[in-house]
Amino acid sequence: MERRVRATGHENVSAEHASTFELTSDDWLTPAGDCILAVEADTVPADFDAEFVEACQSHEATITVTLRADGHEEAIEGRGHPDLSFENDRSMVGRTSDYVDDRTVMVGADKAAADLDREFVDALAAGADLECVLRAEE
């Protein structure tokens, strides 16, 4: 089961956070937002349908996030969790830890923002369009 999100890079994308990555629907980004990869996301967790959310609410679920921008592709694999609520109406966060809040869309991610290829990050900092594909499988 897949869902797509489109967003846009921003000049303040640094992707230096060691334990999370984030997409936000906000249209701005300060340098402090070192986990944020893109802004103006057209879909937020609260927009996901119940079927997709339910598929993610299992410890057995594998969640893969594929990020594409300017000819670059990054795949991040993590897992689901029963406490994933997909209720946030502003941003989605992938986490290397098991911490869950209303922004969390995956836990146990095998990459955070700091682990992403620097050419990919540079493309986002130059304002490249980002396609994010979330895939949930059991």
Side-chain angles (χ1 to χ4, degrees):
M1 174 172 320
E2 286 186 1
R3 298 298 179 265
R4 294 183 189 280
V5 178
R6 297 195 187 283
T8 304
H10 187 280
E11 65 186 24
N12 288 329
V13 169
S14 65
E16 294 175 348
H17 203 278
S19 63
T20 64
F21 66 90
E22 179 177 344
L23 303 180
T24 182
S25 62
D26 292 342
D27 61 359
W28 51 272
L29 172 60
T30 70
D34 63 352
C35 67
I36 297 174
L37 303 178
V39 298
E40 298 184 51
D42 66 358
T43 306
V44 295
D47 295 330
F48 287 92
D49 60 89
E51 181 183 22
F52 186 80
V53 173
E54 186 176 320
C56 294
Q57 291 174 325
S58 166
H59 282 295
E60 286 76 43
T62 298
I63 300 172
T64 305
V65 170
T66 303
L67 303 168
R68 297 181 185 103
D70 197 33
H72 302 278
E73 182 172 298
E74 291 279 346
I76 303 171
E77 188 170 299
R79 63 182 191 282
H81 191 283
D83 294 336
L84 293 178
S85 67
F86 285 75
E87 293 176 342
N88 195 277
D89 63 0
R90 283 183 60 202
S91 62
M92 63 182 69
V93 178
R95 302 180 187 280
T96 60
S97 70
D98 287 332
Y99 178 78
V100 174
D101 67 12
D102 69 337
R103 302 179 310 149
T104 309
V105 296
M106 75 162 43
V107 296
D110 63 0
K111 291 181 188 174
D115 301 311
L116 300 176
D117 180 83
R118 293 295 101 181
E119 288 185 15
F120 175 75
V121 173
D122 289 347
L124 293 173
D129 290 333
L130 176 74
E131 178 188 46
C132 171
V133 179
L134 291 93
R135 180 178 299 115
E137 300 173 312
E138 276 200 67

